[in-house]
């Protein structure tokens, strides 16, 4: 069985916390890899990126983004379709931009993790949150 197909209950704790937080990001909003790590109070952008690369297919992965708003290489078309469907604020690319791909408007789309997410989504353990150190 590959890592990607492991049941959630067998995931490393850190991966489970990253995925739980990624699930809480509301439609039309995003968090950076660094935002997630800071919110959880452990790890860093690379660790979050590794979790998303290995296990992120089961959550709204397109809502976890690079800090510069550039679309995830290799997944631009699917992510862009999802952003447009959810109404995520985008900045259209200028003609000089390579590939003319839009970027996420980070100023308007960024979610701080403190706004109320959908009630049906499972809450993270109380030991996790802005500034918390498990």
């Amino acid at each position: 069985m590959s890592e990607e197909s492991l049941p959630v209950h067998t995931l490393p704790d850190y991966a489970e916390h990253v995925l739980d937080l990624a699930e809480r990001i509301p439609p039309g909003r995003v968090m950076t890899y660094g935002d997630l790590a800071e919110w959880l109070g452990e790890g860093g952008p690379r660790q979050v990126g590794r979790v998303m690369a290995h296990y992120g297919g089961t959550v709204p992965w397109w809502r976890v983004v690079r800090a510069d708003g550039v679309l995830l290489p290799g997944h631009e078309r699917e992510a862009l379709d999802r952003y447009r469907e959810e109404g995520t604020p985008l900045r259209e690319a200028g003609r000089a931009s390579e590939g003319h791909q839009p970027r996420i408007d980070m100023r308007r789309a960024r979610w701080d993790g403190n706004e109320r997410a959908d009630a049906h989504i499972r809450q993270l353990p109380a030991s996790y949150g802005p500034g918390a150190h498990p």
Side-chain angles (χ1 to χ4, degrees):
M1 180 183 285
S2 73
E3 286 182 323
E4 292 83 9
S5 62
L6 289 173
V8 173
H9 66 278
T10 63
L11 290 176
D13 286 344
Y14 183 70
E16 190 169 345
H17 296 305
V18 167
L19 298 178
D20 284 343
L21 182 54
E23 284 183 326
R24 293 184 62 212
I25 302 169
R29 304 301 296 274
V30 299
M31 288 182 93
T32 69
Y33 297 103
D35 290 342
L36 265 89
E38 184 177 331
W39 202 95
L40 292 172
E42 68 176 304
R46 288 181 186 223
Q47 287 83 6
V48 170
R50 185 165 175 80
V51 168
M52 294 303 294
H54 286 284
Y55 310 110
T58 63
V59 299
W61 55 266
W62 59 93
R63 296 181 192 151
V64 181
V65 301
R66 292 173 34 161
D68 61 5
V70 170
L71 306 185
L72 183 63
H75 301 278
E76 299 93 343
R77 171 70 69 209
E78 183 179 357
L80 189 55
D81 289 345
R82 291 179 185 268
Y83 296 140
R84 288 184 172 145
E85 178 181 308
E86 293 183 355
T88 306
L90 299 171
R91 292 179 39 206
E92 291 303 320
R95 293 183 190 265
S97 298
E98 183 179 327
H100 305 287
Q101 286 285 342
R103 288 182 180 207
I104 298 163
D105 184 338
M106 295 302 294
R107 185 181 56 77
R108 293 176 37 221
R110 201 172 207 163
W111 186 59
D112 66 6
N114 290 321
E115 299 168 33
R116 188 165 175 81
D118 293 337
H120 71 277
I121 296 176
R122 167 168 57 121
Q123 297 296 313
L124 289 174
S127 63
Y128 283 84
H133 295 281

